[in-house]
Amino acid sequence: MNKHGQLADFLHARRSLLHPDDIGLQTYGERRRVPGLRREELAMLAGISAPYYARLEQGQSRNASREVLDAIASALRLDESERAHLHELARAGKRGKAAPRPRPEHITPATGALLAALGGTPAIVMGSRSDVLAWNAQGHALFAGHLDPSSPAEPGCRPNMAKLVFLDAHTRDLYTDWPAKAKAVVGNLRLTVGRYPQDPLLAGLVGELVMRSPEFATMWADHRVRACDVADYEMHHPTVGTLTVTQQTLQSPQGSGAALVVATAAPGSPSETALKLLAHGTASREAVSPRADADASTDTV
């Protein structure tokens, strides 16, 4: 993030992706020094003054109304997730309060029971920073069978799914279309950073990934956002072979940022058979790992 802040970064990045031809703007063959639209062109599309838009993009104005933001979103041709992200960034700039010290994330007994009840369906619970808070035996076997199944039990040892996708060779090999999975992870992480802009642990995660993965750094720089609610992925699993799963992400109703990720396959498909084989192979393992702490005072899911 540059000195002007996330809102300024986002506006600049998305403006640079929108070209004059995209909006039918005549350039008459002129040479343009910067990619994408100029500030005054974007301001014209949004129906606001060029000086005001310039101040907004330079981080000098933090009082944009919802109407102005919606006009800018329309001019930038943002989709629903991107528009919501723009509003989140604008609200974050108005808060100006120090963030509370992050507390360790845990699952509730109810979520632990839900994991157990899912039976042969692979499922994991992720915290707001993509840490694995818990998984059932099938979720562990599908997504990270090469890791210690008890690793989510200790906050300092928890696997982080964003790190696994970019830094772990086993996880990279799981996905036939790894770039699509990687872009989904980055887009969702962008949304999370917009919701929790002052979380130091989240900022540290992004910083580590930028430093250790050039691919992440490149994807992060374009400021694309994406809500990973439902997505289909073809996977090459070392135990059950090739299968296609639908990954669904269900957000916690308490608004903690934690989410339940469940993998399913089309009924009657070879992929469903593969998941059943995976479940059979893990039937002897403990149904839920780690066990939810019923007395935890910092439960978040």
Side-chain angles (χ1 to χ4, degrees), residues 114-157:
L114 177 59
L115 278 176
L118 285 171
T121 302
I124 64 176
V125 179
M126 293 197 308
S128 60
R129 306 174 195 94
S130 302
D131 292 326
V132 178
L133 306 184
W135 46 30
N136 61 14
Q138 294 73 35
H140 166 254
L142 179 64
F143 293 108
H146 62 305
L147 300 182
D148 182 350
S150 66
S151 55
E154 296 295 330
C157 301

Side-chain angles (χ1 to χ4, degrees), residues 22 64 133 165 183 195 217 233 250 252 260 262:
D22 297 332
L133 306 184
V165 167
K183 290 176 182 178
R195 295 188 189 106
Y233 294 106
L250 309 175
S252 168
L260 176 69
V262 180

